[in-house]
Amino acid sequence: MSRLADKFAELKASGRKALIPFITAGDPYPEFTVPMLHDMVAAGADVIELGVPFSDPMADGPVIQRASERALAHKVGLRKVLSMAMEFRKTDQTTPLVLMGYLNPIEMMGYEDFANAAQRADVDGVLTVDLPPEEAADCVALLRERGIDQIFLLAPNSDAERIAKMDAVGSGYLYYVSLKGVTGAGHLDTGDVKEKLALIRANTGLPVGVGFGVKDAETAKTVANLADGVVVGSALISKIEACPDDPEQARSEIIALLKSMRSAMDS
């Protein structure tokens, strides 16, 4: 079993749900990232999604777009992100780490070179926003050979056939985008999420994480009552953006927010 499968099985056995924070690697500067990953684990994170900066992050709202811009200004690209993952693994051998980003940097590196580099970095999963399952066979095969899960996104308009297709190709977990729009936008409608998760669960045996719209402890708890995992990104990155000259304050606020979410989810 992969680290992701082990983690979700462990959480299920204990009646808990996964807290899955997302930050963009290299934001606000490269040296911030790895210590922040360790701090998030200490604050209660079960799985971490590490964003690969990209110049045209089409699924992301302005908060994460600006995070990518700040990271790219420091020349943080895919190879640097993989080196950060490798650094994280030196002292954390248990927390699943998922790279989340876009296909272009992977294509530029080459699928096989990327898969080899991800294996060396001991990455557990890859979530490529703009890689549909119909075009994913080569990448999925290379990653699977190396014990790395390919994770796919489900949208509010994904039907049963599409969910089943994601289930057949993907592994680790499925990421349900809880609203139509980009990251950080809109209000999460828990009634819609509950209805959609019933359809998703009828067509997959994979754990389901829900993101896009989780902003605070209250929404985290509500989503945790419905899903297997709670994904939070923009709410964390907003803390970094609000403290441009004081990254340690941002770090403290991110830790506090995650601890409040963890506590609410476990209550």
Side-chain angles (χ1 to χ4, degrees):
M1 292 177 73
S2 70
R3 277 196 193 94
L4 282 167
D6 286 344
K7 176 57 69 175
F8 278 104
E10 171 195 322
L11 289 166
K12 184 176 182 179
S14 63
R16 299 169 70 240
K17 305 298 179 70
L19 177 58
I20 310 174
F22 167 98
I23 60 168
T24 300
D27 177 39
Y29 54 84
E31 295 76 18
F32 181 86
T33 301
V34 175
M36 188 74 255
L37 298 181
H38 289 300
D39 287 341
M40 292 194 297
V41 174
D46 299 294
V47 178
I48 292 175
E49 291 181 354
L50 183 59
V52 179
F54 185 54
S55 57
D56 187 23
M58 67 186 89
D60 293 305
V63 170
I64 295 180
Q65 286 183 22
R66 290 190 293 267
S68 272
E69 290 169 3
R70 291 190 294 270
L72 291 170
H74 291 289
K75 304 194 182 307
V76 176
L78 179 55
R79 292 185 187 278
K80 180 63 175 175
V81 176
L82 287 163
S83 72
M84 291 175 178
M86 192 175 294
E87 183 68 23
F88 173 72
R89 276 284 171 251
K90 288 180 180 178
T91 49
D92 187 321
Q93 292 293 317
T94 58
T95 305
L97 185 64
V98 174
L99 299 188
M100 183 170 183
Y102 295 83
L103 188 59
N104 184 268
I106 295 174
E107 289 194 327
M108 290 292 290
M109 182 182 286
Y111 285 174
E112 187 162 8
D113 284 350
F114 168 71
N116 287 335
Q119 183 182 34
R120 287 194 298 272
D122 212 358
V123 166
D124 300 289
V126 176
L127 200 169
T128 312
V129 175
D130 52 349
L131 179 63
E134 294 85 356
E135 299 174 16
D138 291 344
C139 195
V140 167
L142 287 166
L143 292 174
R144 189 166 289 164
E145 287 170 3
R146 291 156 178 81
I148 300 171
D149 292 310
Q150 180 77 56
I151 297 157
F152 288 95
L153 293 172
L154 289 170
N157 59 349
S158 297
D159 60 16
E161 181 181 356
R162 185 117 188 116
I163 296 164
K165 184 175 291 186
M166 300 285 194
D167 175 72
V169 180
S171 58
Y173 60 98
L174 293 175
Y175 185 141
Y176 175 55
V177 176
S178 64
L179 50 85
K180 295 177 181 178
V182 294
T183 55
H187 174 71
L188 189 147
D189 187 322
T190 54
D192 285 349
V193 171
K194 183 176 182 179
E195 182 178 345
K196 190 67 180 188
L197 284 176
L199 176 65
I200 293 171
R201 292 190 192 285
N203 290 279
T204 184
L206 291 172
V208 182
V210 172
F212 285 45
V214 177
K215 301 179 185 299
D216 52 29
E218 182 180 353
T219 53
K221 180 176 183 176
T222 300
V223 171
N225 287 331
L226 303 173
D228 303 297
V230 178
V231 185
V232 55
S234 294
L236 304 182
I237 293 173
S238 293
K239 305 295 186 185
I240 296 172
E241 188 165 58
C243 303
D245 301 317
D246 192 354
E248 290 310 307
Q249 177 64 26
R251 185 190 308 279
S252 296
E253 292 188 14
I254 288 171
I255 291 169
L257 179 56
L258 289 176
K259 283 184 175 179
S260 72
M261 289 181 168
R262 177 80 274 165
S263 177
M265 288 167 62
D266 291 343
S267 65

